Amino acid sequence: MAILGIHHAAIIVPDLDAALAFYSSVLGFSVAEVADIEPSPEAEQILELKGPAARSVLLRSDWGYLELFEFVEPSSPESGTAELPVHAMGVRHICLAVDDCKSEH
């Protein structure tokens, strides 16, 4: 099965190092960029959070990109809330286009 495409997806994770190990060793992503989000008025405006701080990595594959974020501040809220803010752990949406999904049964 070949993955045909994705633009990018953002995943909020509890442990960036563990997630990076999985996505690189199991799925074959490589690191394209590493960045930290420091508390600033700009970060607060973009993320709609008070004093956000996070580690992030942009991963690359032959077919697209994936962003992983580990928020240091504020801590991630419990899942299952009616409205999840930007720093809540989990996947908002990711969809991979493949050539033959049935062959992977």
Side-chain angles (χ1 to χ4, degrees):
M1 173 180 69
I3 296 173
L4 302 176
I6 187 174
H7 182 264
H8 88 273
I11 302 175
I12 312 308
V13 299
D15 182 334
L16 187 63
D17 296 323
L20 179 56
F22 171 78
Y23 283 99
S24 60
S25 66
V26 175
L27 297 180
F29 284 90
S30 62
V31 175
E33 184 177 324
V34 176
D36 290 330
I37 297 172
E38 300 292 336
S40 70
E42 294 83 10
E44 287 185 6
Q45 183 178 12
I46 292 167
L47 299 174
E48 298 180 347
L49 295 171
K50 187 71 176 162
R55 299 171 54 214
S56 72
V57 62
L58 180 65
L59 301 175
R60 174 186 349 198
S61 74
D62 292 339
W63 47 265
Y65 295 89
L66 182 64
E67 276 184 300
L68 303 176
F69 292 91
E70 177 186 356
F71 275 84
V72 178
E73 291 293 335
S75 61
S76 184
E78 294 295 319
S79 60
T81 57
E83 292 187 30
L84 292 176
V86 70
H87 68 301
M89 282 186 233
V91 178
R92 298 303 167 261
H93 185 97
I94 183 171
C95 180
L96 304 177
V98 300
D99 63 349
D100 186 7
C101 154
K102 292 180 181 180
S103 69
E104 292 300 311
H105 282 65

